[in-house]
Every structure is written in structure tokens, then in C-alpha cells.
Amino acid sequence: MKIGIVGTGMVGSASAYAMALMGVGTQIVLVDHNSALARAQAQDIAHATPFATTVAVRAGEYADLDGAAVVIIAAGVSQKPGESRLALLERNVEVFKAVIGGVMQAAPDAILLIATNPLDVMTFAAQRIAGLPPERVIGSGTILDTARLRSLLGDHLGIAPNSVHAYVLGEHGDSEVCVWSSAMAGSVPIVSFAKQIGRPLDEAARSSIAEQVRGAAYTIIEGKGATWYGIGAGLARIVSSITDDERTVLSVSQVTDEIEGVRDIALSLPRIIGREGIVATLMPDLDADERAALKRSAGVISDYTSKLKF
């Protein structure tokens, strides 16, 4: 099964590398306006496959995306000194018009997986530009934030992160919402689990963990300039759920009719992902504070999407 990636910088190349090592798909095609970069990334990643899988990795043009099941879009422009976030968004919308136009001409049946920040706003823009049903335009959303939360909770509780079932919802950004009321460790509510093993998750501990989740990107960016490995693996995980029709529950972003009174909004909720894209959306049981926080997060995103011009 062919997977396309448009934009072969650190995020695009990391996702290609993760998929190649994990054996996701049978062919990965890298496309970039800098064709030399795409060729170099493809060649470098291909040289790793003899140690792992038989996935073919090559560079190409938009036409080479023909028949792709999924196309990851990791293309975008950087913010200029003094440029407002809205101005940056408008420039990225113009980039997306060109990119998505090329993708849809070559692979009209592909599912689009958006990785460009600000993630939720660009997911909204991609769905509007492509004109596809919302379930076929997926933003990576809070899949990485959720992984960070589970990792930190695993450390706190002394258990494997994959035994933690907790989600981050809303914006992939500062207004994201860590959901504690429905979080579980194994089959036990997480606060109760923590109490039973003598590692309490009181309000101070929960607040500290949530702050670390929100601040993780800033810490990584301060140390090395950008984040790419975590999101690369997250994108590979989403693609594998699509290609293998796994129907895995993952926290991803999608344009949704209404969330907490905010209409026509892209944000992350737990969603079932399979071969046709997003199969269903799940709303966790939230307490009053979490519900209010999710509404605030939706409002933050809506403030930008409502001003975009298509």
C-alpha cells in the first residue's frame, strides 16, 4: 500500500523513517518543493530498511502519489520576525492550496493526514480546501500530547505507559485539556490506583504533570530547535491504523459540527480510525471543569479559523 508524504523536513522525514522501520505500507513516496532534499531523505531512509523491513522508499513528484491510500502533509512556512500568527496562517493556507491541489489531482481517494502547525487550524483549512468529508481529513492532533501524558503517568506510577489509559483533548497547543476524571491504570481509576500503590495523584501532582505535558515541546525546542521523533512515530501509528483497518482509538483532530456549543471546529477527541478514515468519535465522561476547559480550547481555535479566508 502506497503512502505519500509532502514536506520532507524533520517531521516528514521522521514519519517516513518510523513507517519504514515499523513496516507500515509497502511503498513510501516523498515529495518536496526542494527535490534534492526529498531525494536525500528517501535515500538515507532506504539505507535503513535492510535492517528492518522491505518497505520501498523513494522520492517523487505529485504525480507519483497516484493510488496512495494516505498522504501526510507536513509542508508549511515559518513565522517571519514580527509577523502575526494570523498572517502566518494565511500564508500557510496559500501553501496548502497548492499542496492539496497537487495531492488531490494525483490521489483523489487518499486520506489526508495533517501534521503542519498550528495543527487544528491547518486541519480545518485542509478540509475546507480539499472539500473532502471530514472523516477523510485527519489532524495528528493530541496523539503526541496523549503519549506524553501516558509516559509521565507511567513514570509517576512506576508502570508501563501502555498500561495507562488517559487522553489529552482539545487543541494541540497551550489550551489542551488533560482528562483526569476518566483516566485509568489497567482497569482501575487512576487516582485510586495511585493511592493504592502509595504514589498519590493529588491536585498538585496532576497540575505538575499537566504542565509538563503542555511544556514538553518548549523544553525540546529550547534544547534542539524542534520536535520530530515523537510526532513522527505518532503519524506512523495513525497511518498503520488506517492501512491495517485496525479501528484503534486515538486522540486526533477532525472538523466537527459542534463541541460544547462551539460550531464548525477542528479539535482532538478520542476517535476510531480504520481504512475509511475516522469511523466514529467518542466523547469521554468529563467533569464540569474539564467540560469548561474543552469549551475554552474550542474557542481558542475558533478565534483563528473564523478569520481565515478561502
Side-chain angles (χ1 to χ4, degrees), residues 9-15 144 220 224-235:
M10 298 311 300
V11 171
S13 62
S15 65
L144 178 55
I220 294 167
K224 69 174 195 175
T227 67
W228 56 82
Y229 291 125
I231 189 56
L235 291 164

Side-chain angles (χ1 to χ4, degrees), residues 150-159 194 197-202 205-206 209:
R150 293 178 181 184
S151 177
L152 287 165
L153 283 170
D155 287 345
H156 180 85
L157 299 173
I159 61 175
I197 64 169
R199 300 188 180 189
L201 266 174
D202 56 19
R206 294 196 301 271
I209 289 171

Side-chain angles (χ1 to χ4, degrees), residues 98-116:
V99 167
I100 292 172
V103 171
M104 296 311 299
Q105 184 173 358
D109 296 325
I111 291 169
L112 301 183
L113 178 52
I114 312 304
T116 301

Side-chain angles (χ1 to χ4, degrees), residues 77-283:
V77 295
S78 300
Q79 195 164 10
K80 297 177 180 178
E83 183 178 35
S84 71
R85 195 181 190 204
L86 183 59
L88 171 64
L89 287 171
E90 289 171 344
R91 288 202 297 130
N92 266 325
V93 166
E94 293 306 311
V95 171
F96 264 38
K97 286 178 180 177
V99 167
I100 292 172
V103 171
M104 296 311 299
Q105 184 173 358
D109 296 325
I111 291 169
L112 301 183
L113 178 52
I114 312 304
T116 301
N117 281 322
L119 192 283
D120 301 288
V121 180
M122 297 314 298
T123 299
F124 181 91
Q127 193 272 328
R128 286 293 188 269
I129 293 166
L132 292 173
E135 61 270 18
R136 286 180 54 201
V137 181
I138 304 172
S140 57
T142 58
I143 190 169
L144 178 55
D145 310 275
T146 291
R148 289 166 174 162
L149 175 62
R150 293 178 181 184
S151 177
L152 287 165
L153 283 170
D155 287 345
H156 180 85
L157 299 173
I159 61 175
N162 58 10
S163 292
V164 176
H165 309 288
Y167 290 94
V168 178
L169 308 183
E171 180 196 19
H172 172 56
D174 293 342
S175 71
E176 65 187 22
V177 182
C178 292
V179 176
W180 300 102
S181 59
S182 59
M184 308 283 281
S187 61
V188 181
I190 205 157
V191 173
S192 175
F193 183 100
K195 184 177 181 181
Q196 289 182 46
I197 64 169
R199 300 188 180 189
L201 266 174
D202 56 19
E203 186 175 346
R206 294 196 301 271
S207 183
S208 174
I209 289 171
E211 201 55 45
Q212 290 178 70
V213 172
R214 275 191 293 272
Y218 298 114
T219 301
I220 294 167
I221 289 167
E222 182 179 358
K224 69 174 195 175
T227 67
W228 56 82
Y229 291 125
I231 189 56
L235 291 164
R237 185 67 191 88
I238 296 168
V239 175
S240 69
S241 189
I242 295 170
T243 57
D244 295 343
D245 197 22
E246 292 178 10
R247 302 199 166 215
T248 310
V249 178
L250 300 170
S251 56
V252 296
S253 187
Q254 176 195 354
V255 176
T256 307
D257 288 341
E258 182 269 334
I259 295 293
E260 295 298 326
V262 181
R263 300 196 60 81
D264 211 19
I265 186 71
L267 50 64
S268 286
L269 292 171
R271 305 185 196 271
I272 302 171
I273 300 178
R275 183 62 189 87
E276 302 305 315
I278 293 174
V279 178
T281 294
L282 310 172
M283 176 59 78

Side-chain angles (χ1 to χ4, degrees), residues 281-298:
T281 294
L282 310 172
M283 176 59 78
D285 292 329
L286 304 176
D287 63 28
D289 288 342
E290 292 164 347
R291 194 170 292 281
L294 185 60
K295 182 173 183 176
R296 285 194 297 273
S297 188

